[in-house]
């Protein structure tokens, strides 16, 4: 089952193919990052912090400590087009988090 992530305003920004998938894709199915540390923090393809899953939101922590280089996970293959998940609605303010810039969410 595809798991979609949204920004603070409720627009879809990324997805995983299933809840335990290590890989993160943009809304068009392009690989943008992965979950190397086994928690809710995602790294981009170069190993830099990308964002954190907060509920059904993918947000950027305003002050993220460096966690070290996570290595390279290997190519995840083609995720396909996930379809349109709809609008999640406004989520309100998440202290210490902001939306990830759109340029970081393109594969």
């Amino acid at each position: 089952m595809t798991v979609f992530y949204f920004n603070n305003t409720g627009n879809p920004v990324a997805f995983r193919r299933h809840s335990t998938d290590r890989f993160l894709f943009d809304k068009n199915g392009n690989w943008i990052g992965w979950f190397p540390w086994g928690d809710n923090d995602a790294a981009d393809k170069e190993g830099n912090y990308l964002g954190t899953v907060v509920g059904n939101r993918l947000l950027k922590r305003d002050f993220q400590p460096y966690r070290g280089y996570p290595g390279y996970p290997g190519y995840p293959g083609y995720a396909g087009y996930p379809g349109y998940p709809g609008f999640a609605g406004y989520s309100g303010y998440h202290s210490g988090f902001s939306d990830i810039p759109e340029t970081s969410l393109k594969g």
Side-chain angles (χ1 to χ4, degrees), residues 14-105:
F15 75 94
R16 285 166 122 169
R17 293 173 284 198
H18 50 82
S19 62
T20 59
D21 191 3
R22 292 179 51 194
F23 298 102
L24 185 66
F25 301 89
D26 69 11
K27 57 188 174 183
N28 295 316
N30 301 307
W31 178 39
I32 58 172
W34 63 300
F35 295 87
W37 299 289
D39 58 12
N40 291 334
D41 288 344
D44 63 16
K45 294 187 288 188
E46 287 78 40
N48 302 310
Y49 171 74
L50 176 65
T52 302
V53 173
V54 181
N56 67 346
R57 309 297 164 150
L58 183 63
L59 304 172
K60 186 173 185 118
R61 189 174 283 122
D62 295 333
F63 300 101
Q64 172 67 19
Y66 181 68
R67 296 185 70 174
Y69 179 66
Y72 185 75
Y75 184 67
Y78 180 63
Y81 181 69
Y84 181 67
F87 180 69
Y90 180 69
S91 70
Y93 178 71
H94 292 83
S95 180
F97 291 91
S98 56
D99 283 334
I100 300 173
E102 285 287 324
T103 56
S104 298
L105 294 170

